[in-house]
Amino acid sequence: MLDVHGGGWTIGNARMNDSKNAELAARIGVAVVSIDYRLALSQPISAVVDDCEAAAIWTIANAGRMFGCARIAMVGSSAGSHLAAAAMLRLRDRHDAAGSIAGLLLYYGLYDFHGTDMVRQADKETLLLHGPTVRSTLCKLTPGMTGEERRDPAISPVYADLGGLPPALFVVGEKDMLLEDNQRMEARWRAANGNAELLVAPESPHAFDRMGTRIAGKIEAYTVEWILERLRSAP
């Protein structure tokens, strides 16, 4: 399992998911590679994607030798989901390696750097996320770019050609300001490939899966089975 951590592209590190990844590895018998990518704003967003692309290529090349298994699923959370999706497009376009990934599990990602209507209208009272801060961060991550330029598929995967990609499960809370991002991304992925699914957690905000709620537990059980099914069915 190739894990891409969250943190708004600007904070965090690979260790922040250690306890969750260790528990998952012990429970279902997977090896986890967690990417310690360089952070924006000290690096352009393209360089952050570069690191995730490089880590994915390394994992594809070495998983069999180091872990005894060549079946790989990618998992991302928040900004990590955006980075996983952007890296997945590079695997397809630059390396002809889309078939090396059995599936993507993407939690509450942002896929439109221009900002969906829901993001642009979000105010400071938005649960967990602060609407003005998110909009400001998107501008800081893309300095000098117009709103239209922020729709470039290289940084906004929702505008990319999504054909030829492996199965994807999008997970988001009903009260998350990124709900629209996930609805649009899942719909376009499913239209292109017929292999996407959207799971919406009722009455739940951003990062709900870390809150220990009953619905978080139910969704975790579903996503674990989804990952296992992808790995079992991979060639």
Side-chain angles (χ1 to χ4, degrees):
M1 194 177 82
L2 185 60
D3 177 56
V4 193
H5 71 81
W9 303 274
T10 61
I11 61 173
N13 55 57
R15 295 179 296 280
M16 64 190 291
N17 289 340
D18 275 359
S19 60
K20 185 175 182 179
N21 287 338
E23 190 277 333
L24 184 65
R27 175 151 53 114
I28 66 173
V30 295
V32 181
V33 174
S34 194
I35 304 174
D36 205 20
Y37 54 81
R38 291 170 292 174
L39 299 174
L41 303 160
S42 60
Q43 301 289 332
I45 192 67
S46 59
V48 184
V49 181
D50 288 345
D51 290 352
C52 296
E53 175 190 5
I57 290 299
W58 181 91
T59 304
I60 291 168
N62 292 282
R65 176 178 60 86
M66 296 193 68
F67 309 119
C69 180
R71 295 169 293 176
I72 302 166
M74 292 182 70
V75 180
S77 298
S78 197
S81 287
H82 163 267
L83 294 170
M88 185 69 243
L89 291 169
R90 291 190 182 186
L91 293 181
R92 181 196 65 188
D93 296 340
R94 298 182 178 184
H95 306 282
D96 193 24
S100 298
I101 304 299
L104 292 91
L105 171 57
L106 303 175
Y107 286 92
Y108 37 79
L110 185 148
Y111 305 105
D112 183 353
F113 265 58
H114 175 262
T116 64
D117 289 342
M118 187 174 286
V119 167
R120 291 196 299 272
Q121 294 166 10
D123 60 25
K124 63 182 180 181
E125 303 302 327
T126 306
L127 285 174
L128 269 289
L129 294 177
H130 185 265
T133 298
V134 171
R135 296 193 296 273
S136 175
T137 298
L138 294 179
C139 292
K140 290 177 180 177
L141 289 167
T142 53
M145 296 179 69
T146 66
E148 186 59 34
E149 288 171 337
R150 292 188 181 99
R151 290 191 173 104
D152 182 349
I155 59 171
S156 292
V158 74
Y159 298 107
D161 171 10
L162 300 178
L165 297 178
L169 174 60
F170 296 87
V171 182
V172 66
E174 183 182 23
K175 300 297 185 181
D176 194 332
M177 64 183 282
L178 301 182
L179 175 62
E180 185 181 352
D181 276 86
N182 288 265
Q183 290 172 327
R184 290 174 56 199
M185 191 69 172
E186 186 274 341
R188 294 201 66 246
W189 197 298
R190 177 164 38 85
N193 304 288
N195 60 4
E197 181 181 352
L198 176 66
L199 197 58
V200 178
E203 298 296 320
S204 298
H206 194 73
F208 73 91
D209 59 317
R210 298 178 181 270
M211 298 177 183
T213 62
R214 182 179 179 186
I215 189 64
K218 287 185 175 182
I219 287 182
E220 180 184 20
Y222 184 91
T223 58
V224 167
E225 284 302 315
W226 189 90
I227 291 174
L228 284 172
E229 180 59 29
R230 301 288 80 70
L231 295 178
R232 292 187 189 113
S233 62

